[in-house]
Amino acid sequence: MPAQFLTNLFIAFLWMLLNDEDELRFSTFFAGYLVGIIIVFIMHRFFGTQFYLRRFFALLKLILIFIRELSSSSVFVIKHIVKKEVTIKPGIFYYKTELRGEWEVSLLALLLTLTPGSVVMEVTPEGDAFYVHAMDIAESRENLLRSLAKFERAIMEVLR
Amino acid sequence: MNGNGILEIIAAIFIFGGGVLSVLSALGLMRFPDIYTRNHAGTKSTTLAVLVTLTGVFMYFWIAEGYISVRLILGILFVFITAPTAGHIIVRAAYRSGVKVSDSTVEDELGPMLRKKEGEREGES
């Protein structure tokens, strides 16, 4: 991985110098770095390791998934708020997660608590299961489980 | 109207949307039956409202003054770290100190677990 990073820096420097401007500009260097990312990505299999920005892209993907879930479930909550009568059926359910370790579990709990319509109420002492309070369990259980699985997969890609 | 004007209007729409979301979640805070569901309205929709508002403000400063405000992004980040923690702790404390869930609650898998643990502790002493 350091070899890939150094190659990328080298390409950026080369780009900046070959542009032959009056002074060394950071914006040119950055443009060269972006070009370098593409080149390193194309040839990363020759280094024999994974692409060094893979985690970064996985993180971007996780953020995008999170924003989508956030907006769709916010619409769900707001629909219930403006309804004429409150007809929600809340409930608490048990969810066993495949994730292990402090970072993964707390990241999942954070994301799950941030999306409207679900709060993590308890984490078991073993740290491998949640008790989740859902705002309308009758309607949204399937949705919730689906978004949980999506989050789990994305978190695994980032942290493993 | 030039491009900047249109983008400014989009930023204004973002800020307005954030305000509307805040009002709606305040409404939810009053309408929902018990503390757990109110917590959904109070903490969660508010995070979205803050996100949308600050994004709008960020866009406005970027377009109107050509100034990228890192502090606004840090604001979003810290709200996103602290809001769920607070929500989780409030709900957990409420449940542990025995606040009743509303009558419309259909299932509760946490209660039996806690009561069982309580029983074990009493059995030991």
Side-chain angles (χ1 to χ4, degrees), chain A residues 66-67 70-71 74-75 77-78 80-86 88-95 109-125 131 133-135 137-138 141, chain B residues 21 24-25 27-29 31-34 36-37 39-41 43-45 47-48 51 79-85 87-88 91-92 95-96 101-102 104-111 113-114 117:
Chain A
F66 168 66
I67 288 177
L70 182 67
S71 36
S74 285
V75 168
V77 170
I78 284 167
H80 275 290
I81 289 176
V82 295
K83 250 190 195 167
K84 214 166 161 194
E85 272 168 40
V86 178
I88 49 173
K89 290 190 167 47
I92 301 163
F93 70 93
Y94 176 81
Y95 182 76
L110 186 84
L111 291 178
L112 192 62
T113 312
L114 267 175
T115 46
S118 55
V119 189
V120 176
M121 291 186 79
E122 285 267 353
V123 183
T124 53
Y131 288 91
H133 184 276
M135 204 188 77
I137 198 162
R141 178 168 217 151
Chain B
L21 283 173
L24 282 176
S25 51
L27 205 65
L29 212 58
R31 293 196 63 195
F32 283 160
D34 63 350
Y36 308 105
T37 42
N39 185 48
H40 287 295
T43 60
K44 262 35 85 37
S45 303
T47 31
L48 186 71
L51 172 73
V79 166
F80 269 44
I81 295 173
T82 51
T85 319
H88 167 66
V91 168
R92 186 169 187 264
Y95 200 89
R96 293 220 157 197
V101 292
S102 75
S104 56
T105 303
V106 284
E107 64 176 283
D108 182 356
E109 293 182 8
L110 177 57
M113 192 274 290
L114 278 182
K117 210 174 264 176

Side-chain angles (χ1 to χ4, degrees), chain B residues 54-124:
Chain B
L54 287 184
T55 312
V57 175
F58 177 75
M59 272 173 70
Y60 176 78
F61 275 123
W62 196 2
I63 297 153
E65 303 183 10
Y67 166 68
I68 295 178
S69 174
V70 181
R71 265 178 291 175
L72 284 174
I73 294 183
L74 282 180
I76 295 176
L77 191 71
F78 280 112
V79 166
F80 269 44
I81 295 173
T82 51
T85 319
H88 167 66
I89 290 295
I90 291 170
V91 168
R92 186 169 187 264
Y95 200 89
R96 293 220 157 197
S97 53
V99 178
K100 291 270 182 302
V101 292
S102 75
D103 297 331
S104 56
T105 303
V106 284
E107 64 176 283
D108 182 356
E109 293 182 8
L110 177 57
M113 192 274 290
L114 278 182
R115 276 193 290 278
K116 204 178 78 188
K117 210 174 264 176
E118 204 90 322
E120 277 169 14
R121 209 168 296 148
E122 273 167 22
E124 280 168 19

